[in-house]
Structures are given as structure tokens and as C-alpha cells.
Amino acid sequence: VLALENVVKEYPLTPPVRALAGVDLTIEAGELLAVVGPSGSGKSTMLHIMGTLDRPTKGDVSVAGYRVSELSDAELSGLRSRHIGFVFQAFYLLTGYSALDNVADGLLYTGVPLDERRARASAALETVGLSHRLDHVATQLSGGERQRVAIARAIVGKPSIVLADEPTGNLDSTTSSGIVELFHELNRAGSTIVVVTHDPEISASLPRIIHLRDGLIESDRVRELS
Amino acid sequence: VLALENVVKEYPLTPPVRALAGVDLTIEAGELLAVVGPSGSGKSTMLHIMGTLDRPTKGDVSVAGYRVSELSDAELSGLRSRHIGFVFQAFYLLTGYSALDNVADGLLYTGVPLDERRARASAALETVGLSHRLDHVATQLSGGERQRVAIARAIVGKPSIVLADEPTGNLDSTTSSGIVELFHELNRAGSTIVVVTHDPEISASLPRIIHLRDGLIESDRVRELS
Ligand SMILES: Nc1ncnc2c1ncn2[C@@H]1O[C@H](COP(=O)(O)OP(=O)(O)OP(=O)(O)O)[C@@H](O)[C@H]1O
Ligand SMILES: Nc1ncnc2c1ncn2[C@@H]1O[C@H](COP(=O)(O)OP(=O)(O)OP(=O)(O)O)[C@@H](O)[C@H]1O
Ligand SMILES: [Mg+2]
Ligand SMILES: [Mg+2]
């Protein structure tokens, strides 16, 4: 359902920066996996390309059966709203809006009326432990609360693909475990989930782990978990 | 060198939110300690009040021998630039500026000329492993690279007090250990260092640990470390 073939991403600085130096990766529908690697190794870049938020310099990308290079920006935007939930490393919440409306915004493309979107948003915020913060605007939330709003927004539409970029970096271990459990639940319900993470507890608990280093996949291992 | 006496911080929402519900804390010059607790428990709020970036609703704050309530905003600003280095949970880098100029900005108050500030900024960025990214602007840096720029900016002036709000949330464990080692070095050189962290490896390695829960200090323990 996600495939990268010889993907290169280069930025034209002096000297040029090769954020990805030739990545090959195939992910089947329904998988649950971790992406790990040092700071600056290309994880966010790879996740953005997988989520069609960025185009590679070279190589091919396929998402949900489509060859990304053959789609226009408008078609990619439609593909994303229907299939992909993205949790950004920097959250990107709408600053003037409440937690509830930030998450309801994740359903704008569905054509569902506002009060139904808010009802679903409220349910999503409950799953991340934020029922007591629905009406706080982004500036009235702690760092970990904002992170959880970003997670709720990404999953409220129950997308078939969830791409999460370091979703627990601002969370204590108890709250983190709740998020990992949420990802397991979504995966059991059929979603394909890719989690970029620096937390060894998380990567140790997922059935497949991809190690990135200097823009290349260093290892890609599936394991038996009891 | 830092004292909070019966500090309360309340936000006038409906119902009101008590981010801090009566905190008593004394930190001696030269200490190195961790502040831990669940997401939303008041850690950032407490750190901001300790750093004079916010005023309490009730209670007294003393920093570097001064009673904060007796200083004007201008005097507090002077106190901060002379004594305090603050690493923000959300980094707050200057977006159009390079890593080098972001860190050099941390020395603006010193009256030191630009090329000397840049030389010191370059040295500070080297200690956080970013010599290869000096001229990248904030948008050309990974999440963990931006976090390290924020750390370098906080410490470049060798402040006597370092307040770090979750400084390793976006870093892999190797890079994190480098940051912890940096804090130990600054502490050996005399700085007082308070680290808010969700990383149990970090809190376990510091000689004092304060647990916050629901805006109150639940425990405050000093331990013998070999
Ligand atoms: N401006 C505000 N108005 C209302 N409530 C606020 C405001 N700022 C923070 N809060 C609330 O105060 C509580 C404490 O916030 P704080 O940022 O100190 O938490 P924290 O311990 O740093 O959490 P995290 O680990 O998630 O960063 C949170 O529950 C938050 O929702
Ligand atoms: N617009 C850009 N121009 C130039 N270089 C960039 C740009 N964006 C990212 N980079 C560089 O590409 C490399 C990979 O960035 P990326 O954000 O993918 O890293 P990461 O693995 O997610 O790191 P982290 O764990 O710190 O979040 C980094 O070294 C970064 O400096
Ligand atoms: Mg990243
Ligand atoms: Mg915080």
C-alpha cells in the first residue's frame, strides 16, 4: 500500500544535502512498523514523501495503488484526505482554534455537518485523554496536550494509513503507552501504521523496525512478538 | 538561587484552570535536578515562573537573590539576559535566521561584536553536534536539529542558571546522552541546571528529582549517585 523505489531527496544547498540517498521500501496494507534512526538521518523526509506531502528528487513512490508522479497536486490532496492521517513532529495546530475544532478540521473533506464532526472530534479527543481540554485553544494547552490534539486530528477520520512523526516526544511514559495502545487498536481495525520514534520502548513493541542512517535504510527487520 | 513560595498559577477560564496549586521549592546555586510528571501537570508553567517569563497568581518567587515581585518587566528582562538560559519546549527559533545567527542572538545583550558572537555560537553548535548545519535556516533543519539549536542558544552565554524544558524530546538516545553530558559539564563549571524531562534515563541520572502532579509537588528527593 506504500512503496518507495530508489527514492532520493536532495536539497540544492552548497554543498547539496542528500536527506535521502536511495531508499527502497515496501509496506503492505495492515502493517504496523517503527522507523528509527539518529536525529537528521532522514526519517521525517521519508515520512513526508510516503504521505505525498513532498516529492522525491529521484525515484518512484506509490500510495494506495496510485503512482504518485502521475497525479496532480489537487489529486494528491484528494488522495491524502481520503486515505492518510499525518501526525506532524511540530504538530501544526490552527492557533486560534480550540482543541475540538482543530480535530473537527480533520474531517472537513468528508462533507459531514459541523456538529457531527465535533461529536466525532470529541470522541477522538477522549481516546487521547483530553476530554477536559476540548475548548482550550492551542496556546492554552501544554506541549504534550498539543501533541495529543495533533494525534486525534490525524486519526479522527479513521484513515487507512496513519503516518506518525515522533508522536510521543512530549509525553510521559503512561500517556505514551496509551498512544501506542491506540495505534495497536487502529491497526487491529485494519489501518496501516508507520511510527517514526526515538522511544526504544515503542520500537521494541512493534512487529517491524526500519533503521535509517544518513538517508539510507540500514536494516529492515520483522520479528516475532509474543 | 531559585525559590518558589506557595506559588499558585491560575488561568481565568470557565471553570478556572489551576496549573500550579501551591508550589514550594528551593534550589541552591550549583544544583542539577530533574522535574518530571504527567503531561499537563504544570512543569512548563513552573519552569516559566522560575525563569521570570511568567508571574504567579499568588505566592513569591526569588531568582539570583532578587524578589521577582519587586522588579519591573525591564529589570526582569535584564536579570534574565545576565543569569538565565532557557530552552523552550517548542524551541522558538527565529525562522528566517541560520542556526549560527539564532545562537549568536543568545549573546545580543553582551555588547560583544557580531563576529565574536558568531565565533562563540559556532563553538556552542559544535558541542551539540551541529557544525555541519551552521548556515541552515530553521526551516532547513530536522526537528532534533532545531531542538539542539535551541539548547545551544540557551547555553552560549554560559549562564549561571539553565532551565531546560524537555530538551531531548526529539533526539535519539545517543544524541540525548550527549546533551545530558553537556549539562553535567556546565554543572561542574558552576551552573545551576533544572531539566524538565519525560525521559526516565535522564531523570535517573540526576542527583535530585522533583515529581509534579496536578500542579503540586508530589515528591522532592535527593539521592546518592555513584
Ligand atoms: N494559557 C492557558 N490557559 C488555560 N490553561 C492553560 C494555559 N496554559 C496551560 N494551561 C493548562 O495548564 C496545565 C499545565 O500546563 P503545562 O504546560 O505547565 O504542563 P506540562 O506539565 O508542561 O505538560 P507537558 O508535559 O504536556 O508539556 C495544562 O493542563 C494546560 O492545559
Ligand atoms: N529544506 C531543507 N534544506 C536543506 N536541508 C534540509 C532541509 N530539510 C531537512 N534538511 C536536512 O535533511 C536531513 C534530514 O532531515 P529530517 O527532518 O528528515 O531528519 P530526521 O531523521 O527526521 O531527524 P530528527 O530525528 O531530528 O527529527 C537533516 O540533516 C536536515 O538538516
Ligand atoms: Mg524528524
Ligand atoms: Mg511542558
Side-chain angles (χ1 to χ4, degrees):
Chain A
V1 71
L2 290 164
L4 302 181
E5 202 184 325
N6 220 351
V7 163
V8 172
K9 181 69 184 182
E10 198 167 84
Y11 296 105
L13 297 191
T14 316
V17 173
R18 280 215 146 188
L20 295 179
V23 167
D24 293 296
L25 179 58
T26 304
I27 298 170
E28 306 296 336
E31 286 204 59
L32 170 56
L33 58 135
V35 174
V36 308
S39 170
S41 56
K43 307 178 297 297
S44 294
T45 303
M46 187 173 81
L47 210 70
H48 275 70
I49 287 172
M50 282 164 55
T52 76
L53 292 165
D54 196 8
R55 291 182 187 272
T57 312
K58 293 189 215 165
D60 294 306
V61 184
S62 302
V63 176
Y66 296 94
R67 212 177 171 74
V68 168
S69 51
E70 291 168 10
L71 301 183
S72 67
D73 283 351
E75 287 168 320
L76 282 180
S77 178
L79 177 71
R80 276 196 298 276
S81 14
R82 287 195 315 277
H83 294 277
I84 300 173
F86 204 108
V87 186
F88 293 94
Q89 189 168 2
F91 321 155
Y92 296 144
L93 301 189
L94 303 166
T95 28
Y97 292 71
S98 66
L100 189 72
D101 284 337
N102 258 282
V103 178
D105 185 64
L107 292 166
L108 260 180
Y109 68 91
T110 56
V112 166
L114 180 58
D115 36 295
E116 171 61 18
R117 282 188 278 128
R118 277 182 171 157
R120 294 186 202 181
S122 173
L125 282 160
E126 184 171 354
T127 66
V128 296
L130 288 180
S131 301
H132 63 314
R133 289 288 181 265
L134 301 183
D135 53 352
H136 282 232
V137 296
T139 46
Q140 297 170 328
L141 295 169
S142 76
E145 290 168 347
R146 285 176 210 174
Q147 185 154 42
R148 286 181 274 161
V149 174
I151 292 167
R153 184 178 59 186
I155 61 145
V156 65
K158 301 196 182 336
S160 54
I161 298 167
V162 177
L163 305 176
D165 201 346
E166 298 188 36
T168 66
N170 289 278
L171 303 178
D172 54 284
S173 36
T174 305
T175 312
S176 281
S177 307
I179 297 307
V180 175
E181 185 45 38
L182 169 63
F183 288 155
H184 274 102
E185 258 173 64
L186 293 168
N187 182 244
R188 284 191 291 267
S191 293
T192 306
I193 310 203
V194 182
V195 187
V196 169
T197 184
H198 283 312
D199 187 339
E201 301 236 0
I202 297 181
S203 49
S205 73
L206 303 189
R208 179 181 178 188
I209 177 166
I210 292 164
H211 278 262
L212 220 57
R213 182 180 291 279
D214 297 325
L216 288 169
I217 291 182
E218 190 178 51
S219 69
D220 180 352
R221 291 183 307 226
V222 170
R223 62 180 122 184
E224 292 310 312
L225 290 176
S226 43
Chain B
V1 70
L2 290 165
L4 302 182
E5 201 183 324
N6 221 351
V7 162
V8 172
K9 181 68 184 183
E10 198 168 83
Y11 296 105
L13 297 189
T14 315
V17 174
R18 280 216 145 189
L20 295 179
V23 167
D24 292 297
L25 179 58
T26 304
I27 298 170
E28 306 294 338
E31 286 203 60
L32 170 56
L33 58 135
V35 173
V36 306
S39 170
S41 57
K43 305 176 300 296
S44 296
T45 303
M46 186 173 83
L47 210 70
H48 275 69
I49 287 174
M50 282 164 54
T52 76
L53 292 164
D54 195 10
R55 292 182 186 272
T57 311
K58 293 188 212 166
D60 294 308
V61 184
S62 300
V63 176
Y66 296 94
R67 212 177 172 76
V68 167
S69 52
E70 291 169 8
L71 300 184
S72 67
D73 284 350
E75 286 169 320
L76 283 180
S77 178
L79 178 71
R80 277 194 298 276
S81 13
R82 289 196 313 276
H83 294 279
I84 301 173
F86 204 107
V87 185
F88 294 94
Q89 189 169 3
F91 322 155
Y92 295 144
L93 302 188
L94 303 166
T95 29
Y97 292 72
S98 65
L100 190 71
D101 284 337
N102 258 280
V103 179
D105 185 66
L107 291 167
L108 259 181
Y109 67 91
T110 56
V112 167
L114 182 59
D115 36 297
E116 172 61 19
R117 283 189 277 127
R118 278 181 170 158
R120 294 187 202 181
S122 173
L125 283 160
E126 183 170 356
T127 66
V128 297
L130 288 179
S131 301
H132 63 314
R133 291 287 181 265
L134 300 183
D135 53 352
H136 282 232
V137 295
T139 45
Q140 297 170 329
L141 295 170
S142 77
E145 290 167 347
R146 286 176 209 173
Q147 186 155 42
R148 286 181 276 161
V149 173
I151 292 168
R153 183 179 58 187
I155 61 143
V156 66
K158 300 192 180 345
S160 54
I161 297 167
V162 178
L163 304 177
D165 200 346
E166 297 189 36
T168 65
N170 289 277
L171 303 177
D172 54 284
S173 35
T174 304
T175 312
S176 279
S177 306
I179 297 306
V180 176
E181 186 46 36
L182 170 62
F183 287 155
H184 274 101
E185 259 173 62
L186 293 168
N187 182 245
R188 284 190 292 266
S191 292
T192 305
I193 310 204
V194 182
V195 186
V196 169
T197 183
H198 284 310
D199 187 340
E201 300 237 2
I202 296 181
S203 48
S205 72
L206 302 189
R208 179 181 178 187
I209 176 165
I210 291 164
H211 279 262
L212 221 56
R213 182 179 292 279
D214 297 327
L216 287 168
I217 291 183
E218 189 178 51
S219 69
D220 181 352
R221 290 184 307 226
V222 171
R223 61 181 124 179
E224 292 308 314
L225 289 176
S226 45

